[in-house]
Coordinates of all heavy atoms in Angstrom, one line a residue:
M1486 N 170.8 24.4 102.5 CA 171.1 24.1 101.1 C 171.1 25.5 100.4 O 170.2 26.3 100.6 CB 170.2 23.1 100.5 CG 170.6 22.7 99.2 SD 170.1 21.0 98.7 CE 168.3 21.4 98.2
A1487 N 172.2 25.7 99.5 CA 172.2 27.0 98.8 C 171.1 27.0 97.7 O 170.8 26.0 97.2 CB 173.6 27.0 98.1
K1488 N 170.5 28.2 97.6 CA 169.4 28.4 96.6 C 170.0 28.4 95.2 O 170.9 29.2 95.0 CB 168.6 29.6 97.0 CG 167.3 29.7 96.2 CD 166.6 30.9 96.8 CE 165.3 31.2 95.9 NZ 164.8 32.4 96.0
Q1489 N 169.4 27.7 94.3 CA 169.9 27.7 92.9 C 169.4 29.0 92.2 O 168.2 29.3 92.4 CB 169.4 26.5 92.1 CG 170.4 25.4 92.0 CD 170.0 24.4 91.0 OE1 168.9 24.0 91.0 NE2 170.9 23.9 90.3
S1490 N 170.3 29.6 91.4 CA 169.8 30.8 90.7 C 169.0 30.3 89.5 O 169.4 29.3 88.9 CB 170.9 31.7 90.3 OG 172.0 30.9 89.8
P1491 N 168.0 31.1 89.1 CA 167.2 30.6 87.9 C 168.1 30.7 86.6 O 169.0 31.4 86.5 CB 166.1 31.7 87.9 CG 166.6 32.8 88.5 CD 167.5 32.3 89.6
A1492 N 167.7 29.8 85.7 CA 168.3 29.8 84.4 C 168.1 31.0 83.6 O 167.0 31.6 83.7 CB 167.8 28.5 83.5
P1493 N 169.2 31.6 83.0 CA 168.9 32.9 82.3 C 168.1 32.7 81.1 O 168.0 31.7 80.5 CB 170.4 33.3 81.9 CG 171.2 32.1 81.8 CD 170.5 31.2 82.8
N1494 N 167.5 33.8 80.6 CA 166.6 33.8 79.5 C 167.6 33.8 78.3 O 168.7 34.3 78.4 CB 165.8 35.1 79.5 CG 164.8 35.1 78.4 OD1 165.0 34.9 77.3 ND2 163.5 35.4 78.8
W1495 N 167.3 33.3 77.1 CA 168.2 33.2 76.0 C 168.7 34.6 75.6 O 169.8 34.7 75.1 CB 167.7 32.4 74.9 CG 166.6 33.0 74.1 CD1 165.3 33.0 74.3 CD2 166.7 34.0 73.0 NE1 164.6 33.7 73.4 CE2 165.4 34.3 72.5 CE3 167.8 34.5 72.3 CZ2 165.2 35.2 71.5 CZ3 167.6 35.4 71.2 CH2 166.3 35.7 70.9
Q1496 N 167.8 35.5 75.8 CA 168.3 37.0 75.3 C 169.4 37.6 76.2 O 170.1 38.5 75.8 CB 167.1 37.9 75.3 CG 166.0 37.7 74.3 CD 164.8 36.9 74.9 OE1 165.0 36.1 75.8 NE2 163.7 37.1 74.3
D1497 N 169.5 36.9 77.4 CA 170.6 37.4 78.4 C 171.9 36.8 78.2 O 172.8 37.1 78.9 CB 170.0 37.3 79.8 CG 168.7 38.0 80.0 OD1 168.6 39.1 79.4 OD2 167.9 37.5 80.8
L1498 N 171.9 35.7 77.3 CA 173.2 35.0 77.1 C 174.2 35.8 76.5 O 173.9 36.7 75.6 CB 173.0 33.7 76.4 CG 172.1 32.6 77.0 CD1 171.9 31.5 76.1 CD2 172.8 32.1 78.3
A1499 N 175.5 35.7 76.9 CA 176.6 36.5 76.2 C 176.8 36.0 74.8 O 176.6 34.9 74.4 CB 177.9 36.3 77.0
L1500 N 177.2 37.0 73.9 CA 177.4 36.7 72.6 C 178.8 35.9 72.5 O 179.8 36.3 73.1 CB 177.5 37.9 71.8 CG 176.3 38.7 71.5 CD1 176.5 39.9 70.7 CD2 175.2 37.8 70.7
G1501 N 178.8 34.8 71.8 CA 179.9 34.0 71.6 C 180.4 34.0 70.2 O 180.5 35.0 69.5
C1502 N 180.7 32.8 69.6 CA 181.1 32.7 68.3 C 179.8 32.4 67.4 O 179.9 31.6 66.5 CB 182.1 31.7 68.1 SG 181.6 30.1 68.5
A1503 N 178.7 33.0 67.7 CA 177.5 32.6 67.0 C 177.6 33.2 65.5 O 178.4 34.1 65.3 CB 176.3 33.3 67.6
T1504 N 176.8 32.6 64.7 CA 176.8 33.1 63.3 C 175.8 34.3 63.2 O 174.6 34.1 63.3 CB 176.3 31.9 62.4 OG1 177.1 30.8 62.6 CG2 176.2 32.4 60.9
L1505 N 176.4 35.5 63.1 CA 175.6 36.6 63.2 C 175.3 37.3 61.9 O 174.3 38.0 61.7 CB 176.3 37.7 64.1 CG 176.6 37.2 65.5 CD1 177.5 38.2 66.3 CD2 175.3 37.0 66.3
E1506 N 176.1 37.1 60.9 CA 175.9 37.7 59.6 C 175.7 36.7 58.5 O 176.2 35.6 58.6 CB 177.1 38.5 59.2 CG 177.4 39.7 60.1 CD 178.7 40.3 59.8 OE1 179.3 40.2 58.6 OE2 179.4 40.8 60.7
A1507 N 174.8 37.0 57.5 CA 174.5 36.1 56.5 C 175.8 35.7 55.8 O 176.7 36.6 55.5 CB 173.6 36.7 55.5
G1508 N 176.1 34.4 55.5 CA 177.2 33.9 54.8 C 178.5 33.8 55.7 O 179.5 33.3 55.2
S1509 N 178.3 34.2 57.0 CA 179.6 34.1 57.8 C 179.9 32.6 58.4 O 180.9 32.4 58.9 CB 179.4 35.0 59.1 OG 178.4 34.6 59.9
S1510 N 179.0 31.7 58.1 CA 179.2 30.3 58.6 C 180.4 29.7 57.9 O 181.0 28.8 58.3 CB 178.0 29.4 58.4 OG 177.7 29.3 57.0
R1511 N 180.8 30.2 56.7 CA 181.9 29.6 55.9 C 183.3 29.9 56.7 O 184.2 29.2 56.5 CB 182.1 30.2 54.5 CG 182.6 31.6 54.5 CD 182.7 32.1 53.0 NE 181.3 32.4 52.6 CZ 180.9 33.5 51.9 NH1 181.9 34.4 51.7 NH2 179.7 33.8 51.6
Y1512 N 183.2 30.9 57.6 CA 184.4 31.2 58.4 C 184.6 30.3 59.6 O 185.6 30.3 60.3 CB 184.4 32.7 58.8 CG 184.3 33.6 57.6 CD1 183.2 34.4 57.4 CD2 185.4 33.6 56.6 CE1 183.1 35.2 56.3 CE2 185.3 34.3 55.5 CZ 184.1 35.2 55.3 OH 184.0 35.9 54.2
Q1513 N 183.5 29.5 60.0 CA 183.6 28.6 61.1 C 184.0 27.3 60.6 O 183.2 26.5 60.0 CB 182.2 28.5 61.8 CG 181.6 29.8 62.1 CD 182.2 30.7 63.2 OE1 183.0 30.1 64.0 NE2 182.0 31.9 63.3
K1514 N 185.2 26.9 60.7 CA 185.7 25.6 60.2 C 185.3 24.5 61.1 O 186.0 24.1 62.0 CB 187.2 25.6 60.1 CG 187.7 26.7 59.1 CD 188.0 26.2 57.7 CE 188.3 27.4 56.8 NZ 189.4 27.2 55.9
T1515 N 184.1 24.0 60.9 CA 183.5 23.0 61.7 C 184.2 21.6 61.7 O 184.1 20.7 62.5 CB 182.0 22.8 61.4 OG1 181.9 22.6 60.0 CG2 181.1 23.9 61.8
G1516 N 185.1 21.5 60.7 CA 185.9 20.3 60.6 C 186.9 20.2 61.8 O 187.4 19.0 62.1
D1517 N 187.1 21.2 62.5 CA 188.0 21.2 63.6 C 187.4 20.4 64.8 O 188.2 19.9 65.7 CB 188.3 22.6 64.2 CG 189.1 23.5 63.2 OD1 189.7 22.9 62.3 OD2 189.2 24.7 63.4
W1518 N 186.2 20.2 64.8 CA 185.5 19.3 65.8 C 185.7 17.9 65.6 O 185.5 17.0 66.5 CB 184.0 19.6 65.9 CG 183.6 21.1 66.0 CD1 184.4 22.1 66.2 CD2 182.3 21.5 65.8 NE1 183.6 23.3 66.2 CE2 182.4 22.9 65.9 CE3 181.1 20.9 65.5 CZ2 181.3 23.7 65.8 CZ3 179.9 21.8 65.4 CH2 180.1 23.1 65.5
R1519 N 186.0 17.5 64.3 CA 185.9 16.0 64.0 C 186.9 15.1 64.7 O 188.0 15.5 64.9 CB 186.2 16.0 62.5 CG 185.8 14.7 61.8 CD 186.1 14.7 60.3 NE 187.5 15.1 60.1 CZ 187.9 16.2 59.5 NH1 187.1 17.1 59.0 NH2 189.2 16.4 59.3
S1520 N 186.4 13.9 65.1 CA 187.3 13.0 65.7 C 187.4 11.7 64.8 O 188.2 10.9 65.0 CB 186.7 12.5 67.1 OG 185.5 12.0 67.0
S1521 N 186.5 11.6 63.8 CA 186.7 10.6 62.8 C 186.1 11.2 61.5 O 185.4 12.1 61.4 CB 185.9 9.3 63.2 OG 184.6 9.6 63.4
R1522 N 186.6 10.5 60.4 CA 186.3 11.1 59.0 C 185.6 10.0 58.2 O 186.0 8.8 58.3 CB 187.4 11.7 58.3 CG 188.5 10.6 58.0 CD 189.7 11.2 57.2 NE 190.3 12.3 57.9 CZ 191.3 13.1 57.3 NH1 191.6 12.9 56.1 NH2 191.9 14.0 58.0
P1523 N 184.7 10.4 57.2 CA 184.2 9.4 56.4 C 185.3 9.0 55.2 O 186.0 9.8 54.7 CB 183.0 10.0 55.8 CG 183.3 11.5 55.8 CD 184.2 11.7 57.0
I1524 N 185.3 7.7 54.9 CA 186.1 7.3 53.8 C 185.2 6.4 52.9 O 184.3 5.7 53.3 CB 187.4 6.4 54.3 CG1 187.0 5.3 55.2 CG2 188.3 7.4 54.9 CD1 188.2 4.4 55.4
W1525 N 185.5 6.4 51.6 CA 184.7 5.8 50.6 C 185.4 4.6 49.9 O 186.6 4.6 49.7 CB 184.4 6.8 49.5 CG 183.2 7.6 49.7 CD1 181.9 7.5 49.2 CD2 183.1 8.8 50.6 NE1 181.1 8.5 49.8 CE2 181.8 9.3 50.6 CE3 184.0 9.5 51.4 CZ2 181.4 10.4 51.3 CZ3 183.6 10.5 52.1 CH2 182.3 11.0 52.1
N1526 N 184.6 3.6 49.6 CA 185.0 2.5 48.8 C 184.4 2.8 47.4 O 183.2 2.5 47.2 CB 184.6 1.2 49.3 CG 184.9 0.1 48.4 OD1 185.4 0.2 47.3 ND2 184.7 -1.2 48.8
F1527 N 185.1 3.5 46.5 CA 184.5 3.9 45.3 C 184.1 2.8 44.3 O 183.3 2.9 43.4 CB 185.3 5.0 44.6 CG 185.3 6.3 45.3 CD1 186.5 6.8 45.9 CD2 184.2 7.0 45.5 CE1 186.5 8.1 46.5 CE2 184.1 8.2 46.2 CZ 185.2 8.7 46.7
E1528 N 184.7 1.6 44.6 CA 184.3 0.4 43.7 C 182.8 0.0 44.0 O 182.2 -0.5 43.0 CB 185.3 -0.7 44.0 CG 186.6 -0.5 43.4 CD 187.6 -1.7 43.7 OE1 187.1 -2.8 44.0 OE2 188.7 -1.5 43.5
Q1529 N 182.3 0.4 45.1 CA 180.9 0.0 45.5 C 180.0 1.2 45.2 O 178.8 1.0 45.2 CB 180.9 -0.3 47.0 CG 180.7 -1.8 47.3 CD 180.7 -2.0 48.7 OE1 181.7 -2.0 49.4 NE2 179.4 -2.0 49.3
C1530 N 180.5 2.4 45.0 CA 179.6 3.6 44.9 C 179.0 3.6 43.6 O 179.6 3.4 42.5 CB 180.5 4.8 45.0 SG 179.6 6.4 44.8
V1531 N 177.7 3.8 43.5 CA 176.9 3.8 42.2 C 176.5 5.2 41.8 O 175.8 5.4 40.9 CB 175.6 2.9 42.4 CG1 176.0 1.5 42.6 CG2 174.7 3.6 43.5
K1532 N 177.2 6.3 42.5 CA 177.0 7.6 42.1 C 175.6 8.2 42.2 O 175.2 8.9 41.4 CB 177.6 7.9 40.6 CG 179.0 7.4 40.5 CD 179.4 7.7 38.9 CE 180.9 7.3 38.7 NZ 181.2 7.5 37.4
C1533 N 174.9 7.7 43.2 CA 173.4 8.1 43.2 C 173.3 9.4 43.8 O 172.2 10.2 43.6 CB 172.7 7.1 44.1 SG 173.2 7.0 45.8
G1534 N 174.3 9.9 44.7 CA 174.2 11.3 45.2 C 173.3 11.4 46.5 O 173.2 12.4 47.1
V1535 N 172.9 10.3 47.0 CA 172.0 10.3 48.2 C 172.8 10.8 49.4 O 172.2 11.6 50.2 CB 171.5 8.9 48.6 CG1 170.9 8.8 50.0 CG2 170.4 8.5 47.5
C1536 N 174.0 10.5 49.6 CA 174.8 10.9 50.8 C 175.0 12.4 50.7 O 174.9 13.1 51.8 CB 176.1 10.2 50.9 SG 177.1 10.4 49.2
T1537 N 175.0 13.1 49.6 CA 175.3 14.5 49.5 C 174.0 15.2 49.9 O 174.1 16.3 50.5 CB 175.6 14.9 48.1 OG1 174.5 14.7 47.2 CG2 176.8 14.2 47.6
V1538 N 172.8 14.6 49.7 CA 171.6 15.2 50.1 C 171.4 15.3 51.6 O 170.9 16.3 52.2 CB 170.4 14.5 49.5 CG1 169.0 15.0 50.0 CG2 170.4 14.5 47.9
F1539 N 171.8 14.3 52.3 CA 171.6 14.2 53.7 C 172.8 14.9 54.6 O 172.6 15.0 55.8 CB 171.4 12.8 54.2 CG 170.1 12.3 53.8 CD1 169.8 11.6 52.6 CD2 169.0 12.5 54.6 CE1 168.6 11.1 52.2 CE2 167.7 12.0 54.3 CZ 167.6 11.3 53.1
C1540 N 173.8 15.2 54.0 CA 175.0 15.8 54.8 C 174.5 17.2 55.4 O 174.2 18.1 54.6 CB 176.1 16.0 53.9 SG 177.5 17.0 54.8
P1541 N 174.4 17.3 56.7 CA 173.9 18.5 57.3 C 174.8 19.7 57.1 O 174.4 20.9 57.3 CB 173.8 18.1 58.8 CG 174.8 17.0 59.0 CD 174.9 16.3 57.7
E1542 N 176.0 19.5 56.8 CA 177.0 20.6 56.6 C 177.0 21.1 55.2 O 177.7 22.1 54.9 CB 178.4 20.2 57.1 CG 178.5 20.1 58.6 CD 178.3 21.4 59.3 OE1 178.8 22.4 58.9 OE2 177.5 21.4 60.2
G1543 N 176.5 20.4 54.3 CA 176.6 20.8 52.9 C 178.0 20.7 52.4 O 178.4 21.4 51.5
C1544 N 178.8 19.9 53.0 CA 180.2 19.8 52.7 C 180.5 18.6 51.8 O 181.7 18.2 51.5 CB 181.1 19.7 53.9 SG 180.9 18.3 55.0
L1545 N 179.5 18.0 51.3 CA 179.6 16.7 50.4 C 179.0 17.2 49.1 O 177.8 17.4 49.0 CB 178.9 15.6 51.1 CG 179.2 14.1 50.8 CD1 180.7 13.9 50.9 CD2 178.5 13.3 51.8
K1546 N 179.8 17.1 48.1 CA 179.4 17.4 46.7 C 179.8 16.3 45.7 O 180.8 15.7 46.0 CB 180.0 18.8 46.2 CG 179.7 19.9 47.2 CD 178.5 20.7 46.8 CE 178.4 22.0 47.5 NZ 177.7 22.0 48.8
M1547 N 179.1 16.2 44.6 CA 179.6 15.3 43.6 C 180.6 16.0 42.7 O 180.6 17.1 42.4 CB 178.4 14.9 42.6 CG 177.2 14.3 43.4 SD 177.6 12.8 44.4 CE 177.4 11.6 43.2
N1548 N 181.7 15.2 42.5 CA 182.8 15.8 41.7 C 182.6 15.6 40.2 O 181.5 15.0 39.8 CB 184.2 15.3 42.1 CG 184.4 13.8 41.9 OD1 183.7 13.2 41.1 ND2 185.3 13.2 42.6
A1549 N 183.6 16.1 39.4 CA 183.4 16.0 37.9 C 183.2 14.5 37.4 O 182.7 14.4 36.4 CB 184.6 16.7 37.3
D1550 N 183.7 13.6 38.2 CA 183.6 12.2 37.8 C 182.4 11.5 38.3 O 182.0 10.4 38.1 CB 184.8 11.4 38.3 CG 186.2 11.8 37.7 OD1 186.1 12.2 36.5 OD2 187.2 11.8 38.4
G1551 N 181.5 12.3 39.0 CA 180.3 11.8 39.5 C 180.3 11.1 40.8 O 179.3 10.5 41.3
Y1552 N 181.4 11.2 41.5 CA 181.6 10.6 42.8 C 181.5 11.7 43.9 O 181.8 12.8 43.7 CB 183.0 9.9 43.0 CG 183.1 8.7 42.1 CD1 183.9 8.6 41.0 CD2 182.4 7.4 42.5 CE1 184.0 7.5 40.2 CE2 182.6 6.3 41.8 CZ 183.3 6.3 40.6 OH 183.4 5.2 39.9
P1553 N 181.0 11.2 45.1 CA 180.9 12.3 46.2 C 182.4 12.6 46.7 O 183.2 11.8 46.7 CB 180.2 11.5 47.3 CG 180.2 10.0 47.0 CD 180.5 10.0 45.5
Q1554 N 182.5 13.9 47.0 CA 183.8 14.4 47.5 C 183.5 15.3 48.7 O 182.7 16.2 48.7 CB 184.4 15.2 46.4 CG 185.8 15.7 46.8 CD 186.6 16.3 45.5 OE1 186.2 16.1 44.4 NE2 187.6 17.0 45.8
V1555 N 184.3 15.0 49.7 CA 184.0 15.7 51.0 C 185.1 16.9 51.2 O 186.1 16.8 50.9 CB 184.1 14.7 52.3 CG1 185.4 14.1 52.4 CG2 183.6 15.4 53.5
D1556 N 184.5 18.0 51.7 CA 185.4 19.1 52.1 C 185.6 18.9 53.6 O 184.8 19.3 54.4 CB 184.7 20.4 51.8 CG 185.5 21.7 52.2 OD1 186.5 21.5 52.9 OD2 185.2 22.8 51.7
L1557 N 186.9 18.4 53.9 CA 187.2 18.2 55.4 C 187.4 19.4 56.2 O 187.4 19.3 57.4 CB 188.5 17.3 55.4 CG 188.2 15.9 54.9 CD1 189.6 15.1 54.8 CD2 187.2 15.1 55.8
D1558 N 187.4 20.6 55.6 CA 187.4 21.8 56.5 C 186.1 22.0 57.3 O 186.0 22.6 58.3 CB 187.6 23.1 55.6 CG 189.1 23.3 55.2 OD1 189.9 22.7 55.8 OD2 189.3 24.2 54.3
Y1559 N 185.0 21.4 56.7 CA 183.7 21.6 57.2 C 183.1 20.3 57.7 O 182.0 20.3 58.4 CB 182.8 22.3 56.3 CG 183.3 23.7 55.9 CD1 184.1 23.9 54.8 CD2 183.2 24.7 56.9 CE1 184.6 25.1 54.5 CE2 183.6 26.0 56.6 CZ 184.4 26.2 55.4 OH 184.9 27.4 55.2
C1560 N 183.6 19.1 57.3 CA 183.0 17.8 57.8 C 183.2 17.6 59.2 O 184.3 17.6 59.8 CB 183.6 16.7 57.0 SG 183.2 15.1 57.7
K1561 N 182.0 17.4 59.9 CA 182.1 17.3 61.5 C 182.3 15.8 61.9 O 182.4 15.6 63.0 CB 180.8 17.8 62.1 CG 180.6 19.3 61.9 CD 179.5 19.8 62.7 CE 178.2 19.4 62.2 NZ 177.0 20.1 62.7
G1562 N 182.2 14.9 60.9 CA 182.3 13.5 61.3 C 181.1 12.9 61.9 O 181.2 12.0 62.7
C1563 N 179.9 13.5 61.5 CA 178.7 13.0 62.2 C 178.3 11.6 61.8 O 177.4 11.0 62.4 CB 177.6 14.0 61.9 SG 177.0 14.1 60.2
A1564 N 178.7 11.2 60.6 CA 178.5 9.8 60.0 C 177.0 9.7 59.5 O 176.6 8.5 59.2 CB 178.8 8.7 61.0
I1565 N 176.3 10.8 59.3 CA 175.0 10.7 58.7 C 175.1 10.1 57.3 O 174.3 9.3 56.8 CB 174.3 12.0 58.7 CG1 173.9 12.4 60.1 CG2 173.0 12.0 57.7 CD1 173.3 13.7 60.3
C1566 N 176.2 10.5 56.6 CA 176.4 10.0 55.2 C 176.6 8.5 55.2 O 176.0 7.7 54.3 CB 177.6 10.7 54.5 SG 179.1 10.6 55.5
V1567 N 177.2 7.9 56.2 CA 177.4 6.5 56.4 C 176.0 5.8 56.6 O 175.7 4.8 56.0 CB 178.3 6.1 57.6 CG1 178.4 4.6 57.8 CG2 179.7 6.8 57.4
T1568 N 175.2 6.4 57.4 CA 173.9 5.8 57.6 C 173.0 5.9 56.4 O 172.3 4.9 56.1 CB 173.1 6.6 58.8 OG1 174.0 6.6 59.9 CG2 171.8 6.0 59.1
E1569 N 173.1 6.9 55.6 CA 172.2 7.1 54.5 C 172.6 6.4 53.2 O 171.8 6.2 52.3 CB 172.0 8.6 54.2 CG 171.4 9.4 55.3 CD 170.0 8.9 55.7 OE1 169.3 8.3 54.8 OE2 169.6 9.0 56.9
C1570 N 173.9 6.1 53.1 CA 174.4 5.4 51.9 C 173.8 3.9 51.9 O 174.2 3.1 52.8 CB 175.9 5.3 51.9 SG 176.5 4.3 50.5
W1571 N 172.9 3.7 51.0 CA 172.3 2.4 51.0 C 173.2 1.2 50.3 O 172.8 0.0 50.3 CB 171.0 2.5 50.1 CG 171.2 3.1 48.7 CD1 171.3 4.4 48.4 CD2 171.3 2.4 47.6 NE1 171.5 4.6 47.1 CE2 171.5 3.3 46.5 CE3 171.2 1.0 47.2 CZ2 171.6 2.9 45.2 CZ3 171.3 0.6 45.9 CH2 171.6 1.5 44.9
T1572 N 174.4 1.5 49.8 CA 175.2 0.5 49.3 C 176.3 0.2 50.3 O 177.1 -0.8 50.1 CB 175.9 1.0 48.0 OG1 176.8 2.0 48.3 CG2 174.9 1.4 46.9
G1573 N 176.4 0.9 51.4 CA 177.4 0.6 52.4 C 178.8 0.8 52.0 O 179.7 0.2 52.6
C1574 N 179.0 1.8 51.1 CA 180.4 2.0 50.7 C 181.1 3.1 51.4 O 182.3 3.4 51.1 CB 180.4 2.3 49.2 SG 179.8 3.8 48.7
I1575 N 180.5 3.7 52.5 CA 181.1 4.7 53.3 C 181.4 4.1 54.7 O 180.5 3.5 55.2 CB 180.3 6.0 53.4 CG1 179.7 6.4 52.1 CG2 181.2 7.1 54.0 CD1 178.8 7.6 52.2
S1576 N 182.6 4.4 55.2 CA 182.8 3.9 56.7 C 183.5 5.1 57.3 O 184.0 6.0 56.7 CB 183.6 2.7 56.7 OG 184.8 2.8 56.0
M1577 N 183.7 5.0 58.7 CA 184.3 6.1 59.4 C 185.7 5.6 59.9 O 185.9 4.5 60.3 CB 183.5 6.5 60.6 CG 182.1 7.1 60.3 SD 182.2 8.5 59.3 CE 182.8 9.8 60.4
E1578 N 186.7 6.5 59.8 CA 188.0 6.2 60.2 C 188.4 7.2 61.3 O 188.2 8.4 61.1 CB 188.9 6.3 59.0 CG 190.4 6.0 59.2 CD 191.2 6.2 58.0 OE1 191.3 7.3 57.5 OE2 191.8 5.2 57.5
E1579 N 189.0 6.7 62.4 CA 189.3 7.7 63.4 C 190.5 8.6 63.0 O 191.4 8.2 62.3 CB 189.8 6.9 64.6 CG 189.8 7.6 65.9 CD 190.0 6.6 67.1 OE1 189.5 5.5 67.1 OE2 190.8 7.1 68.0
E1580 N 190.4 9.9 63.4 CA 191.4 10.8 63.1 C 192.7 10.5 63.8 O 192.6 10.1 65.0 CB 191.0 12.2 63.5 CG 189.9 12.8 62.6 CD 190.4 13.1 61.2 OE1 191.5 13.2 60.9 OE2 189.4 13.4 60.4
K1581 N 193.8 10.6 63.2 CA 195.1 10.2 63.7 C 195.6 11.3 64.7 O 196.2 11.0 65.8 CB 196.2 9.9 62.6 CG 195.7 9.0 61.6 CD 196.2 7.7 61.8 CE 195.9 6.7 60.7 NZ 194.6 6.6 60.2
D1582 N 195.4 12.6 64.4 CA 195.9 13.7 65.2 C 194.8 14.3 66.1 O 193.8 14.5 65.7 CB 196.5 14.8 64.3 CG 197.6 14.3 63.5 OD1 198.4 13.5 63.9 OD2 197.6 14.7 62.3
Ligands
SF4_1390 S1 180.4 12.8 58.2 FE1 178.6 14.2 58.4 S2 179.4 16.2 57.9 FE2 180.9 14.7 57.2 S3 180.4 14.4 55.1 FE3 179.3 12.8 56.3 S4 177.3 13.7 56.7 FE4 178.6 15.3 56.0
SF4_1391 S1 174.9 7.3 48.8 FE1 176.6 5.8 48.6 S2 176.4 4.9 46.6 FE2 175.3 6.9 46.6 S3 176.8 8.5 45.9 FE3 176.9 8.3 48.1 S4 178.5 6.9 48.5 FE4 177.9 6.6 46.4

């Protein structure tokens, strides 16, 4: 049986598309990974802002009308906002393309 080589130390890993400079994460369009997107039923939304607090990408902000608004360039479709919305007004829709 062939001997397995040991796993490399993290310092020995090749540099890839890591975030190396402060503020450079804005150039990584994480929305490209998304297979489904959140959609809102604004008739049910009470404008509490809870979903915006839990979004791990920081791509969910309250708009001028007080409703949450998603920046799809960075939304990964993780559905945490769906889980955290206590009124159940967010659901996920599969991406068409
Ligand atoms: S699906 Fe995930 S990344 Fe997108 S808005 Fe909701 S919490 Fe944020
Ligand atoms: S958590 Fe739900 S009810 Fe509250 S702002 Fe977000 S979508 Fe609206």
Side-chain angles (χ1 to χ4, degrees):
M1486 189 154 78
K1488 193 176 171 192
Q1489 262 190 322
S1490 48
N1494 195 307
W1495 71 267
Q1496 291 99 332
D1497 300 327
L1498 295 174
L1500 289 178
C1502 62
T1504 302
L1505 300 174
E1506 296 168 28
S1509 64
S1510 61
R1511 80 180 71 131
Y1512 303 115
Q1513 313 290 341
K1514 300 264 173 136
T1515 46
D1517 290 349
W1518 309 347
R1519 194 179 55 245
S1520 60
S1521 58
R1522 65 174 63 190
I1524 53 169
W1525 274 258
N1526 174 356
F1527 288 118
E1528 285 180 13
Q1529 254 180 276
C1530 176
V1531 297
K1532 304 180 179 180
C1533 67
V1535 167
C1536 55
T1537 66
V1538 173
F1539 285 94
C1540 173
E1542 285 301 310
C1544 65
L1545 202 48
K1546 305 265 191 275
M1547 301 305 269
N1548 67 20
D1550 295 325
Y1552 289 105
Q1554 186 169 344
V1555 65
D1556 182 344
L1557 289 172
D1558 278 349
Y1559 299 98
C1560 169
K1561 293 189 293 195
C1563 67
I1565 290 175
C1566 52
V1567 176
T1568 303
E1569 297 300 333
C1570 174
W1571 55 280
T1572 68
C1574 69
I1575 317 174
S1576 55
M1577 297 302 285
E1578 180 180 64
E1579 201 170 316
E1580 291 290 348
K1581 308 263 183 316
D1582 303 319

